[in-house]
Amino acid sequence: MKTADIFKKKTVFSLEVFPPKPDANESVIYDTLEQLSDIRPDFISVTYGAGGGKNGSRTIKIASDIVSKYNTTSVAHLPCINLTKKQAAEILDSIKSSGIENVLALRGDIPNDTEVSGDFSHADELVTFIRENYDFNIVAACYPEVHPESNSAVDDIKNLKNKVECGVDHLITQLFLDNRHFYNFRENTQLAGINVPIEAGIMPVTNKKQIERMVKLCGVELPNKFIRVLERYENDPVALRDAGIAYAVDQITDLVTEGADGIHLYTMNNPYIAHRIYDAVQSLI
Ligand code: FAD
């Protein structure tokens, strides 16, 4: 199914998983999917290794198996920063022939250490390329706290509007820990005339290292309420995990109550945490 059609019927609840590293055993992801399957998410998206490139065969295989083995809609992520148009077409042909209907069109992060060698500068160019050559439902990324490379929120929204007009059907946000960022962003998108569904990306933060990495990478603001949780429980992993789950449930409850189009849970391939969150919110969605 195309993800845009699901939003017409309900508040969407979806999951993100990542493929095992190339040298790791592929079977671990199937244990994870098996355990996630009784959540019956509206779709599962599968990330594509940072830096993009041609090595996304695990992404495609997993996204394809989600459709064929679990009878669940899947989304294959595709970062374009290192792809030529020919390579992008080869990957998209493979996604299509694998029975996947949805592509998350991304630029990808610009690497610090290597030259970028592809035909695409930004995600909007990949969106245009896909729209002109394929019949995929196109998903794209957006940033309630502004993309770290943007000079201003206004520039970021202008770029997002252009990207959506190139053919995006649905947006998923970067994680955020203060819902006010999402509400301000949603209002700005409405003012700009961006009318596609926007799913809120929620990451349950259950260890201190993970959040330090996220803050550095994505520029996510840590609200005082969250800092107090971290300070109080940083040396107690079980308490920090439970507090992180409770925090995510609180965020989701507020977002659903305030009419968010959907919730995209960054599972970090942890079915236990995904289940705890889903069990707490399933009657709301
Ligand atoms: P773009 O939309 O191209 O935006 C990047 C920056 O360029 C922004 O500052 C924007 O304002 C600006 N911009 C956009 N268009 C133009 C233009 N035409 N001219 C000038 N400036 C412009 N990365 C991976 O490697 N693999 C993944 O699987 C992955 N999954 C993700 C899933 C989600 C939901 C999100 C939010 C991010 C994901 N990322 C992933 C990270 C993503 O690749 C990075 O955040 C990257 O830095 C930006 O990608 P983008 O597609 O948003 O880029």
Side-chain angles (χ1 to χ4, degrees):
M1 185 183 268
K2 299 193 169 189
T3 63
D5 292 334
I6 312 174
F7 291 94
K8 292 175 192 156
K9 296 185 224 154
K10 66 186 288 280
T11 306
V12 167
F13 186 80
S14 59
L15 306 176
E16 180 190 278
V17 297
F18 54 83
K21 294 212 159 68
D23 53 351
N25 188 337
E26 206 180 36
S27 68
V28 289
I29 187 64
Y30 292 97
D31 293 342
T32 304
L33 290 174
E34 195 61 46
Q35 292 174 61
L36 290 173
S37 62
D38 53 346
I39 291 180
R40 303 213 58 76
D42 289 305
F43 69 85
I44 300 178
S45 82
V46 187
T47 66
Y48 199 106
K54 289 177 285 175
N55 302 319
S57 54
R58 281 198 163 177
T59 299
I60 300 173
K61 167 133 189 6
I62 294 162
S64 173
D65 287 341
I66 288 169
V67 176
S68 61
K69 293 191 180 152
Y70 298 98
N71 199 18
T72 298
T73 299
S74 73
V75 176
H77 294 212
L78 179 59
C80 61
I81 191 70
N82 276 313
L83 294 177
T84 61
K85 287 191 173 171
K86 186 166 175 282
Q87 289 167 335
E90 281 164 12
I91 297 172
L92 288 159
D93 287 345
S94 165
I95 294 175
K96 188 177 161 190
S97 63
S98 302
I100 302 157
E101 292 183 81
N102 307 283
V103 175
L104 175 40
L106 295 151
R107 185 198 65 183
D109 284 323
I110 296 175
N112 294 326
D113 45 354
T114 46
E115 284 281 299
V116 178
S117 60
D119 286 338
F120 303 94
S121 304
H122 291 98
D124 60 324
E125 294 169 19
L126 178 62
V127 173
T128 301
F129 181 75
I130 298 174
R131 188 52 79 224
E132 283 174 354
N133 296 291
Y134 297 88
D135 181 34
F136 287 114
N137 179 83
I138 305 176
V139 189
C142 61
Y143 302 84
E145 294 179 67
V146 182
H147 186 269
E149 287 166 38
S150 272
N151 295 328
S152 68
V154 173
D155 275 359
D156 212 31
I157 289 281
K158 278 187 189 160
N159 289 331
L160 182 63
K161 181 163 166 70
N162 167 57
K163 178 161 76 173
V164 170
E165 284 175 347
C166 291
V168 171
D169 297 295
H170 138 217
L171 293 166
I172 304 180
T173 76
Q174 175 79 275
L175 75 124
F176 53 89
L177 292 163
D178 184 337
N179 287 358
R180 281 177 304 180
H181 292 300
F182 179 83
Y183 299 132
N184 289 340
F185 171 74
R186 186 171 63 172
E187 195 176 340
N188 290 338
T189 58
Q190 284 162 355
L191 289 170
I194 296 170
N195 294 320
V196 295
I198 302 177
E199 254 194 303
I202 296 296
M203 180 175 287
V205 178
T206 54
N207 75 63
K208 198 161 176 252
K209 268 202 186 124
Q210 173 200 5
I211 190 59
E212 282 166 356
R213 204 175 56 239
M214 290 304 161
V215 169
K216 203 167 151 219
L217 199 72
C218 317
V220 173
E221 187 213 346
L222 287 184
N224 284 336
K225 188 175 156 189
F226 193 83
I227 293 171
R228 285 200 296 280
V229 170
L230 275 184
E231 283 172 354
R232 186 168 171 111
Y233 299 117
E234 65 178 305
N235 297 317
D236 183 340
V238 173
L240 185 56
R241 182 199 66 196
D242 288 349
I245 291 170
Y247 195 93
V249 168
D250 195 35
Q251 271 194 287
I252 295 171
T253 305
D254 182 62
L255 287 160
V256 173
T257 311
E258 293 295 328
D261 296 314
I263 304 295
H264 190 61
L265 190 66
Y266 296 111
T267 70
M268 308 302 288
N269 289 9
N270 187 322
Y272 172 80
I273 291 174
H275 267 282
R276 290 263 314 261
I277 292 172
Y278 177 69
D279 289 348
V281 301
Q282 62 172 312
S283 63
L284 312 179
I285 47 183

